[in-house]
Amino acid sequence: MRKKVIFGNWKMNGTNAAVEEFLSVVDAQANNTEVVAGLGLPFTALSTGLKLSKNVKIAAQNVHFEKNGAFTGEISIEMLKELGVEFVIIGHSERREMFGETDNTVNLKAKAILAANMTPLVCCGETLETKEAGKTVSFVNNQIEKAYAGISKEDAIKTIIAYEPIWAIGTGKTATSQDAEVVCKAIRENLAKIYDQATADQISIQYGGSVKPDNIKELMSMPNIDGALVGGASLLSKDYLALVNYNK
Ligand code: 13P
């Protein structure tokens, strides 16, 4: 059975004080045995997050693929590992659109993260223009093929995919659960082509884009949606708990 994986992504929000306050309320109640609950935090709050969480898995929101060197402002895998970080979000559309992330750097990052026995959470998703041109599935499949190039099936099963249509992020426009299911199913079929069905069946695929307590149940009821990556709603402790305990 695939794991259900529900992560918040705090993006550029969260001082250490805010993370401390949040986790002191949330961590004990994020103890859903059927869900891996997580939180993507800014680099500066990772230590605090790791120290104060037992149930909530803490994720970084980016990493550089090189081991070290002249990359001003970047953070290496070794640096995250030293803190105890196990999960890293890569290829978020905000990083692709604003900070030059490409399919190639996503691939390099995925390989480097897996080599360090950490878990990449690989984001993909189309723009409104691509959706309106009816090219969502081919666009997303291409992103996935490039992200997984050269990655073995043994490593692929350790990854998580987040399908986040860009037009649904922070807009209040959630994809309908049926539309999200169509794309997540297509991603799984593509993984079965790249690897095999057994491998594809083990990879958890999240949906992201305006997920909220009032729509998560419906999304999670879809056969190929195994979790959620949640921005705005994950900032409020009440909503975060409603999300990670959606089935209670
Ligand atoms: P929202 O939930 O705010 O739409 O953000 C989704 C997202 O980008 C999570 O990574």
Side-chain angles (χ1 to χ4, degrees):
M1 256 270 285
R2 285 191 293 276
K3 276 187 237 145
K4 307 258 183 247
V5 192
I6 300 176
F7 272 44
N9 174 13
W10 271 22
K11 309 188 178 185
M12 198 175 73
N13 297 288
T15 58
N16 281 279
V19 170
E20 188 171 338
E21 194 185 331
F22 183 85
L23 285 172
S24 69
V25 175
V26 154
D27 188 66
Q29 295 171 70
N31 60 350
N32 189 345
T33 50
E34 287 169 38
V35 170
V36 180
L39 195 58
L41 291 175
F43 290 129
T44 48
L46 289 171
S47 284
T48 299
L50 287 158
K51 196 168 68 200
L52 298 176
S53 60
K54 273 208 193 83
N55 294 317
V56 177
K57 306 285 182 196
I58 302 298
Q61 298 173 14
N62 186 27
V63 73
H64 200 281
F65 51 85
E66 292 287 357
K67 282 199 162 58
N68 55 20
F71 302 101
T72 301
E74 290 293 317
I75 298 284
S76 74
I77 287 169
E78 186 184 25
M79 293 168 192
L80 296 181
K81 200 148 175 119
E82 182 187 44
L83 299 180
V85 173
E86 291 172 60
F87 294 83
V88 188
I89 299 169
I90 55 173
H92 193 282
S93 60
E94 286 152 15
R95 296 222 57 87
R96 292 179 192 254
E97 291 198 322
M98 292 185 267
F99 303 104
E101 187 85 278
T102 64
D103 289 332
N104 183 46
T105 57
V106 172
N107 176 244
L108 293 170
K109 288 176 186 195
K111 286 179 182 159
I113 292 163
L114 287 161
N117 285 319
M118 292 156 72
T119 302
L121 210 151
V122 181
C123 300
C124 60
E126 82 288 3
T127 61
L128 186 58
E129 203 185 350
T130 302
K131 174 185 158 65
E132 285 176 347
K135 294 186 177 150
T136 296
V137 167
S138 62
F139 180 84
V140 169
N141 278 346
N142 184 52
Q143 284 183 319
I144 293 296
E145 277 152 32
K146 291 189 169 148
Y148 283 78
I151 293 178
S152 69
K153 64 178 177 183
E154 291 75 19
D155 273 343
I157 59 171
K158 299 174 193 158
T159 68
I160 297 165
I161 291 175
Y163 166 58
E164 299 203 305
I166 296 171
W167 49 269
I169 295 178
T171 58
K173 286 187 205 150
T174 326
T176 65
S177 49
Q178 286 81 6
D179 284 351
E181 166 64 15
V182 165
V183 184
C184 292
K185 184 166 182 273
I187 292 171
R188 198 173 313 285
E189 284 166 2
N190 196 32
L191 290 168
K193 262 192 227 148
I194 300 170
Y195 299 104
D196 50 51
Q197 193 63 49
T199 304
D201 284 343
Q202 288 179 72
I203 299 175
S204 295
I205 304 177
Q206 300 173 313
Y207 166 78
S210 300
V211 178
K212 298 192 173 58
D214 65 7
N215 59 23
I216 191 156
K217 254 194 206 149
E218 168 74 20
L219 288 160
M220 293 298 287
S221 72
M222 295 291 133
N224 287 286
I225 298 178
D226 310 308
L229 187 58
V230 188
S234 75
L235 291 163
L236 300 169
S237 50
K238 193 166 111 307
D239 286 358
Y240 180 88
L241 284 171
L243 291 163
V244 300
N245 292 320
Y246 79 96
N247 57 337
K248 289 191 178 168

